[in-house]
Amino acid sequence: MEEAILVGLDLGNDDTFEESMSELANLASACDVTVLHIMTQKRDEPNIKYYVGEGKVREIKDAATALDANLVIFNDELSPSHIRNLEQALDVKVIDRTVLILDIFAKRAKTKEAMLQVELAQAKYFLPRIVGAYKYLSRQKSGTGSKGPGEQQLELDRRLLRDRISKLKKELDQIVKVRRTQRVKRKKNDIFTVALTGYTNAGKSSLMNAIIDTTSTHNDHYAFNKNMLFATLETKTRKIQLNNNRTFLLTDTVGFIDRLPHHLVEAFKSTLEEIAEASLILHVIDVSNPNHEKQIHTVEEVLKEIGVMNIPIIYVYNKTDLLEDIPVTSRNHSVYVSALNNYHVPRLLGMIDDQLYQTMVKTNMLIPFTDGEVYSELKDSSNILSTKYTDSGIDIQVELNEEHYNRYKKYIK
Ligand SMILES: Nc1nc2c(ncn2[C@@H]2O[C@H](COP(=O)(O)OP(=O)(O)OP(=O)(O)O)[C@@H](O)[C@H]2O)c(=O)[nH]1
Ligand SMILES: [Mg+2]
């Protein structure tokens, strides 16, 4: 059983610092770690040697001894040398927020792809840090400059880990290829995809089920574990048919969190590509969380990192059943819903329909014969109203949606 003290450094530039500490406590419980005590320190910048100040290190050590803690968890990702120095000074195991998040992801991963992605992120995180495990052994280094047994072991371990990383990358690449092929196929069939994205626990999966409920006559709910951080790691896609017979594919995706480990974002890139390639994004927000503005910001930062640009977004403020009154809309393209009791889900569906199908623009394009494939693409994806062959290319009247309009706008006459 792990019993931990949580430590946070408040650099004064984050007005949601307190909340990020309670989020850390939630992450710890999700890893079955008992939180004994929470300690914080205000500083302008981290201490070079210990991250927190030396006085604080002594306080942590005293608390750990008094409470019999066997783990200290820091709220930020620590450098390998910080971990080394802290473990030496505190004499207990030291980990950071990143390790907790990686552990939760590892627990939740069910598909081959998710497992590979999590393992890749873990391996990359630990590669520069495995020195810690051998810190005592490496002191046996002989004085003559040759390598002691600790160092040899360490070099061997590092090499094995590097080999493992390249093997994982190769396996993932294979899966990514399959996924890409599927996406190309979908594009060819011109089925719009709509991606659910948002902070973890915002209600993405619940909203997916509410939409399935509202649109489908048979019960094809999909099961997920409720009320836990990172319940969803795999993307799940369902075809949704609106009552005017228009269809789209709805994709549920992994949730984001403040200070999401960079290696995880990297490793999950292939999954997250589903968002970057969607025709429309539903950004689901837990409006009952007092911190939701900051969470929106966090999600937008990750979206930027994975290359989401120029994709229309609908802000879906969820969990309104927990509010006293529903606020007046503050953003364009937003809607207040409750996935729990289907409140305003039909309105959201109307907005999706509008966004996907009714923002069709009519325009006149000239496609040079050298770009003949563009003409075939447009024929597949848009309504071509008239076609005329001219000396300088194919002259068309076309009706197309915003996404295609942006993609092909250089051909507009
Ligand atoms: N009160 C209330 N609770 C909701 C609503 N929507 C979702 N929840 C609850 O919020 C929790 C998280 O819901 P999920 O649908 O798993 O959230 P998620 O965004 O998919 O979470 P991750 O997959 O972990 O990123 C669950 O306990 C849901 O029952 C809502 O409209 N109102
Ligand atoms: Mg989910």
Side-chain angles (χ1 to χ4, degrees):
M1 189 67 205
E2 288 183 302
E3 306 200 300
I5 293 178
L6 307 188
V7 181
L9 190 59
D10 182 359
L11 297 173
N13 54 7
D14 179 4
D15 49 3
T16 58
F17 175 74
E18 291 299 321
E19 288 82 1
S20 92
M21 288 307 291
S22 46
E23 194 170 79
L24 184 69
N26 286 338
L27 289 169
S29 346
C31 291
D32 301 318
V33 173
T34 310
V35 176
L36 300 173
H37 188 45
I38 297 183
M39 301 174 82
T40 60
Q41 181 176 39
K42 270 203 168 92
R43 281 177 75 94
D44 291 337
E45 51 186 29
N47 176 289
I48 293 177
K49 192 163 177 199
Y50 294 113
Y51 183 69
V52 289
E54 281 189 45
K56 203 65 182 180
V57 175
R58 276 192 296 276
E59 269 179 54
I60 299 169
K61 191 174 166 85
D62 289 345
T65 313
L67 299 167
D68 215 9
N70 54 11
L71 185 65
V72 178
I73 307 175
F74 284 76
N75 195 24
D76 277 308
E77 187 167 311
L78 296 174
S79 71
S81 71
H82 280 147
I83 295 188
R84 217 164 34 236
N85 297 335
L86 282 164
E87 285 196 334
Q88 236 148 40
L90 296 171
D91 218 17
V92 289
K93 192 174 164 202
V94 171
I95 62 168
D96 58 24
R97 186 185 183 94
T98 298
V99 172
L100 287 184
I101 297 175
L102 289 171
D103 274 4
I104 300 174
F105 269 69
K107 266 207 250 184
R108 309 277 198 260
K110 293 283 180 306
T111 61
K112 176 103 200 275
E113 184 178 19
M115 288 192 272
L116 288 171
Q117 288 168 321
V118 176
E119 195 188 336
L120 179 61
Q122 283 178 319
K124 282 183 165 174
Y125 173 86
F126 281 108
L127 183 60
R129 289 173 176 83
I130 46 177
V131 60
Y134 296 99
K135 60 178 190 258
Y136 302 110
L137 276 178
S138 50
R139 291 223 193 93
Q140 296 167 7
K141 183 176 167 177
S142 61
T144 55
S146 66
K147 284 174 181 148
E151 266 178 293
Q152 280 172 13
Q153 182 62 43
L154 181 62
E155 263 176 30
L156 182 64
D157 283 0
R158 281 212 181 120
R159 204 174 62 228
L160 287 174
L161 197 53
R162 265 195 291 269
D163 289 350
R164 181 85 196 131
I165 289 175
S166 40
K167 196 165 161 278
L168 287 167
K169 276 189 187 153
K170 269 198 205 112
E171 275 187 69
L172 263 175
D173 278 352
Q174 279 313 106
I175 299 181
V176 171
K177 267 194 205 130
V178 175
R179 203 186 258 290
R180 290 223 171 102
T181 320
Q182 285 169 346
R183 259 205 313 267
V184 169
K185 230 197 248 156
R186 261 193 248 148
K187 279 224 159 121
K188 273 234 168 73
N189 296 338
D190 198 38
I191 305 175
F192 289 119
T193 44
V194 177
L196 288 156
T197 186
Y199 212 75
T200 181
N201 221 40
K204 299 175 290 299
S205 303
S206 307
L207 186 64
M208 175 131 170
N209 272 340
I211 291 175
I212 292 171
D213 254 357
T214 310
T215 53
S216 168
T217 44
H218 45 283
N219 184 351
D220 55 359
H221 256 203
Y222 84 98
F224 61 99
N225 282 313
K226 286 186 175 173
N227 213 6
M228 59 188 213
L229 294 168
F230 304 112
T232 310
L233 287 200
E234 290 84 30
T235 58
K236 288 221 174 58
T237 301
R238 286 295 165 95
K239 188 167 181 174
I240 304 292
Q241 182 159 24
L242 297 166
N243 50 18
N244 55 15
N245 285 336
R246 287 172 173 157
T247 56
F248 62 90
L249 295 175
L250 184 64
T251 298
D252 189 16
T253 65
V254 58
F256 301 150
I257 196 165
D258 189 23
R259 299 168 225 212
L260 193 64
H262 178 70
H263 289 315
L264 263 182
V265 179
E266 273 285 304
F268 273 77
K269 272 232 160 100
S270 55
T271 309
L272 297 172
E273 273 175 14
E274 296 278 332
I275 306 175
E277 307 240 335
S279 312
L280 171 66
I281 289 174
L282 306 183
H283 182 161
V284 183
I285 298 145
D286 175 358
V287 70
S288 73
N289 187 313
N291 245 345
H292 67 265
E293 278 299 332
K294 167 87 189 288
Q295 297 184 334
I296 292 175
H297 180 74
T298 299
V299 170
E300 285 180 339
E301 288 297 304
V302 184
L303 290 180
K304 236 190 265 164
E305 201 180 329
I306 58 173
V308 168
M309 271 180 312
N310 300 329
I311 302 178
I313 296 182
I314 298 177
Y315 294 87
V316 185
Y317 290 88
N318 187 33
K319 307 199 188 181
T320 51
D321 54 288
L322 299 174
L323 298 182
E324 298 266 306
D325 344 83
I326 295 175
V328 186
T329 307
S330 52
R331 279 169 201 268
N332 286 335
H333 290 289
S334 66
V335 60
Y336 286 87
V337 305
S338 167
L340 197 68
N341 53 28
N342 273 6
Y343 172 72
H344 275 178
V345 173
R347 179 183 288 198
L348 170 63
L349 288 170
M351 288 171 77
I352 296 173
D353 188 16
D354 280 352
Q355 186 65 49
L356 292 180
Y357 287 96
Q358 276 158 37
T359 48
M360 303 287 258
V361 189
K362 250 189 229 169
T363 183
N364 189 201
M365 290 184 178
L366 183 68
I367 298 159
F369 293 116
T370 47
D371 291 355
E373 77 283 356
V374 169
Y375 179 64
S376 347
E377 282 166 26
L378 281 168
K379 248 169 61 179
D380 283 341
S381 65
S382 313
N383 291 333
I384 295 189
L385 305 171
S386 71
T387 305
K388 226 171 28 205
Y389 284 80
T390 70
D391 287 348
S392 38
I394 310 171
D395 187 334
I396 55 170
Q397 277 285 117
V398 62
E399 188 180 51
L400 68 189
N401 69 17
E402 220 173 287
E403 187 200 340
H404 292 133
Y405 181 88
N406 285 328
R407 194 183 305 161
Y408 300 113
K409 67 176 163 221
K410 69 169 181 180
Y411 299 106
I412 294 172
K413 278 204 346 192

mmCIF file of all heavy atoms in Angstrom, residues 116-135:
data_model
loop_
_atom_site.group_PDB
_atom_site.id
_atom_site.type_symbol
_atom_site.label_atom_id
_atom_site.label_comp_id
_atom_site.label_asym_id
_atom_site.label_seq_id
_atom_site.Cartn_x
_atom_site.Cartn_y
_atom_site.Cartn_z
ATOM 1 N N LEU A 116 0.463 -0.053 -26.582
ATOM 2 C CA LEU A 116 1.750 0.314 -27.176
ATOM 3 C C LEU A 116 2.053 1.795 -26.933
ATOM 4 O O LEU A 116 3.174 2.184 -26.607
ATOM 5 C CB LEU A 116 1.734 0.053 -28.689
ATOM 6 C CG LEU A 116 1.762 -1.403 -29.137
ATOM 7 C CD1 LEU A 116 1.522 -1.491 -30.646
ATOM 8 C CD2 LEU A 116 3.085 -2.054 -28.784
ATOM 9 N N GLN A 117 1.028 2.622 -27.103
ATOM 10 C CA GLN A 117 1.220 4.065 -26.939
ATOM 11 C C GLN A 117 1.650 4.409 -25.521
ATOM 12 O O GLN A 117 2.576 5.183 -25.308
ATOM 13 C CB GLN A 117 -0.084 4.797 -27.285
ATOM 14 C CG GLN A 117 -0.385 4.778 -28.772
ATOM 15 C CD GLN A 117 -1.792 5.242 -29.108
ATOM 16 O OE1 GLN A 117 -2.738 4.921 -28.400
ATOM 17 N NE2 GLN A 117 -1.937 5.998 -30.177
ATOM 18 N N VAL A 118 0.984 3.797 -24.546
ATOM 19 C CA VAL A 118 1.323 4.092 -23.158
ATOM 20 C C VAL A 118 2.723 3.584 -22.840
ATOM 21 O O VAL A 118 3.528 4.277 -22.209
ATOM 22 C CB VAL A 118 0.302 3.455 -22.185
ATOM 23 C CG1 VAL A 118 0.736 3.692 -20.753
ATOM 24 C CG2 VAL A 118 -1.076 4.036 -22.414
ATOM 25 N N GLU A 119 3.037 2.380 -23.314
ATOM 26 C CA GLU A 119 4.363 1.848 -23.004
ATOM 27 C C GLU A 119 5.453 2.712 -23.628
ATOM 28 O O GLU A 119 6.494 2.964 -23.016
ATOM 29 C CB GLU A 119 4.488 0.399 -23.478
ATOM 30 C CG GLU A 119 5.706 -0.260 -22.842
ATOM 31 C CD GLU A 119 6.027 -1.630 -23.397
ATOM 32 O OE1 GLU A 119 5.110 -2.296 -23.923
ATOM 33 O OE2 GLU A 119 7.209 -2.022 -23.308
ATOM 34 N N LEU A 120 5.184 3.194 -24.836
ATOM 35 C CA LEU A 120 6.163 4.062 -25.494
ATOM 36 C C LEU A 120 6.395 5.333 -24.662
ATOM 37 O O LEU A 120 7.523 5.750 -24.429
ATOM 38 C CB LEU A 120 5.670 4.423 -26.897
ATOM 39 C CG LEU A 120 6.571 5.352 -27.715
ATOM 40 C CD1 LEU A 120 7.941 4.722 -27.939
ATOM 41 C CD2 LEU A 120 5.926 5.692 -29.061
ATOM 42 N N ALA A 121 5.318 5.917 -24.186
ATOM 43 C CA ALA A 121 5.451 7.136 -23.379
ATOM 44 C C ALA A 121 6.204 6.850 -22.083
ATOM 45 O O ALA A 121 7.065 7.630 -21.662
ATOM 46 C CB ALA A 121 4.065 7.714 -23.077
ATOM 47 N N GLN A 122 5.903 5.705 -21.466
ATOM 48 C CA GLN A 122 6.602 5.359 -20.226
ATOM 49 C C GLN A 122 8.092 5.144 -20.460
ATOM 50 O O GLN A 122 8.922 5.646 -19.712
ATOM 51 C CB GLN A 122 6.006 4.075 -19.635
ATOM 52 C CG GLN A 122 4.683 4.313 -18.934
ATOM 53 C CD GLN A 122 4.084 3.015 -18.401
ATOM 54 O OE1 GLN A 122 4.136 1.986 -19.074
ATOM 55 N NE2 GLN A 122 3.517 3.078 -17.210
ATOM 56 N N ALA A 123 8.394 4.418 -21.532
ATOM 57 C CA ALA A 123 9.803 4.125 -21.814
ATOM 58 C C ALA A 123 10.582 5.417 -22.063
ATOM 59 O O ALA A 123 11.695 5.591 -21.577
ATOM 60 C CB ALA A 123 9.907 3.194 -23.018
ATOM 61 N N LYS A 124 9.945 6.333 -22.797
ATOM 62 C CA LYS A 124 10.641 7.592 -23.090
ATOM 63 C C LYS A 124 10.832 8.429 -21.834
ATOM 64 O O LYS A 124 11.840 9.106 -21.675
ATOM 65 C CB LYS A 124 9.852 8.399 -24.112
ATOM 66 C CG LYS A 124 10.027 7.894 -25.526
ATOM 67 C CD LYS A 124 9.260 8.818 -26.419
ATOM 68 C CE LYS A 124 9.601 8.683 -27.873
ATOM 69 N NZ LYS A 124 8.697 9.522 -28.663
ATOM 70 N N TYR A 125 9.849 8.372 -20.943
ATOM 71 C CA TYR A 125 9.979 9.120 -19.693
ATOM 72 C C TYR A 125 11.098 8.527 -18.834
ATOM 73 O O TYR A 125 11.896 9.240 -18.245
ATOM 74 C CB TYR A 125 8.650 9.100 -18.928
ATOM 75 C CG TYR A 125 8.744 9.712 -17.546
ATOM 76 C CD1 TYR A 125 8.587 11.088 -17.373
ATOM 77 C CD2 TYR A 125 9.013 8.926 -16.425
ATOM 78 C CE1 TYR A 125 8.698 11.665 -16.112
ATOM 79 C CE2 TYR A 125 9.120 9.496 -15.159
ATOM 80 C CZ TYR A 125 8.961 10.857 -15.012
ATOM 81 O OH TYR A 125 9.083 11.422 -13.770
ATOM 82 N N PHE A 126 11.173 7.197 -18.784
ATOM 83 C CA PHE A 126 12.131 6.585 -17.871
ATOM 84 C C PHE A 126 13.548 6.528 -18.415
ATOM 85 O O PHE A 126 14.496 6.442 -17.636
ATOM 86 C CB PHE A 126 11.656 5.189 -17.438
ATOM 87 C CG PHE A 126 10.605 5.273 -16.375
ATOM 88 C CD1 PHE A 126 9.285 4.975 -16.637
ATOM 89 C CD2 PHE A 126 10.944 5.717 -15.090
ATOM 90 C CE1 PHE A 126 8.311 5.102 -15.649
ATOM 91 C CE2 PHE A 126 9.983 5.845 -14.100
ATOM 92 C CZ PHE A 126 8.664 5.537 -14.391
ATOM 93 N N LEU A 127 13.696 6.610 -19.728
ATOM 94 C CA LEU A 127 15.044 6.476 -20.295
ATOM 95 C C LEU A 127 16.083 7.382 -19.615
ATOM 96 O O LEU A 127 17.110 6.891 -19.155
ATOM 97 C CB LEU A 127 15.002 6.701 -21.812
ATOM 98 C CG LEU A 127 16.333 6.507 -22.538
ATOM 99 C CD1 LEU A 127 16.871 5.090 -22.356
ATOM 100 C CD2 LEU A 127 16.203 6.816 -24.020
ATOM 101 N N PRO A 128 15.846 8.683 -19.506
ATOM 102 C CA PRO A 128 16.874 9.506 -18.850
ATOM 103 C C PRO A 128 16.868 9.366 -17.327
ATOM 104 O O PRO A 128 17.694 9.965 -16.654
ATOM 105 C CB PRO A 128 16.476 10.933 -19.245
ATOM 106 C CG PRO A 128 15.012 10.870 -19.482
ATOM 107 C CD PRO A 128 14.720 9.489 -19.990
ATOM 108 N N ARG A 129 15.934 8.605 -16.778
ATOM 109 C CA ARG A 129 15.797 8.563 -15.323
ATOM 110 C C ARG A 129 16.206 7.233 -14.707
ATOM 111 O O ARG A 129 16.208 7.105 -13.498
ATOM 112 C CB ARG A 129 14.341 8.853 -14.940
ATOM 113 C CG ARG A 129 13.961 10.307 -15.187
ATOM 114 C CD ARG A 129 12.494 10.550 -14.965
ATOM 115 N NE ARG A 129 12.145 11.964 -15.102
ATOM 116 C CZ ARG A 129 11.918 12.566 -16.248
ATOM 117 N NH1 ARG A 129 12.006 11.891 -17.383
ATOM 118 N NH2 ARG A 129 11.638 13.848 -16.282
ATOM 119 N N ILE A 130 16.543 6.217 -15.521
ATOM 120 C CA ILE A 130 16.831 4.915 -14.907
ATOM 121 C C ILE A 130 18.095 4.949 -14.070
ATOM 122 O O ILE A 130 18.314 4.082 -13.263
ATOM 123 C CB ILE A 130 16.913 3.741 -15.909
ATOM 124 C CG1 ILE A 130 17.753 4.120 -17.105
ATOM 125 C CG2 ILE A 130 15.541 3.266 -16.303
ATOM 126 C CD1 ILE A 130 17.915 2.958 -18.077
ATOM 127 N N VAL A 131 18.885 5.985 -14.213
ATOM 128 C CA VAL A 131 20.091 6.111 -13.410
ATOM 129 C C VAL A 131 19.758 6.013 -11.919
ATOM 130 O O VAL A 131 20.501 5.444 -11.136
ATOM 131 C CB VAL A 131 20.836 7.435 -13.714
ATOM 132 C CG1 VAL A 131 19.967 8.635 -13.421
ATOM 133 C CG2 VAL A 131 22.130 7.500 -12.957
ATOM 134 N N GLY A 132 18.610 6.520 -11.537
ATOM 135 C CA GLY A 132 18.196 6.551 -10.135
ATOM 136 C C GLY A 132 18.264 5.185 -9.474
ATOM 137 O O GLY A 132 18.746 5.040 -8.357
ATOM 138 N N ALA A 133 17.820 4.189 -10.198
ATOM 139 C CA ALA A 133 17.746 2.858 -9.623
ATOM 140 C C ALA A 133 19.125 2.283 -9.306
ATOM 141 O O ALA A 133 19.261 1.351 -8.528
ATOM 142 C CB ALA A 133 16.992 1.938 -10.574
ATOM 143 N N TYR A 134 20.148 2.857 -9.942
ATOM 144 C CA TYR A 134 21.489 2.293 -9.759
ATOM 145 C C TYR A 134 22.403 3.217 -8.991
ATOM 146 O O TYR A 134 23.599 3.065 -9.007
ATOM 147 C CB TYR A 134 22.091 1.938 -11.121
ATOM 148 C CG TYR A 134 21.299 0.866 -11.772
ATOM 149 C CD1 TYR A 134 20.345 1.166 -12.738
ATOM 150 C CD2 TYR A 134 21.443 -0.448 -11.354
ATOM 151 C CE1 TYR A 134 19.567 0.173 -13.289
ATOM 152 C CE2 TYR A 134 20.663 -1.442 -11.901
ATOM 153 C CZ TYR A 134 19.728 -1.126 -12.866
ATOM 154 O OH TYR A 134 18.964 -2.113 -13.393
ATOM 155 N N LYS A 135 21.801 4.199 -8.347
ATOM 156 C CA LYS A 135 22.666 5.214 -7.743
ATOM 157 C C LYS A 135 23.612 4.617 -6.700
ATOM 158 O O LYS A 135 24.723 5.083 -6.551
ATOM 159 C CB LYS A 135 21.843 6.341 -7.150
ATOM 160 C CG LYS A 135 20.885 5.913 -6.070
ATOM 161 C CD LYS A 135 20.169 7.138 -5.542
ATOM 162 C CE LYS A 135 19.403 6.777 -4.299
ATOM 163 N NZ LYS A 135 17.995 6.590 -4.470
#
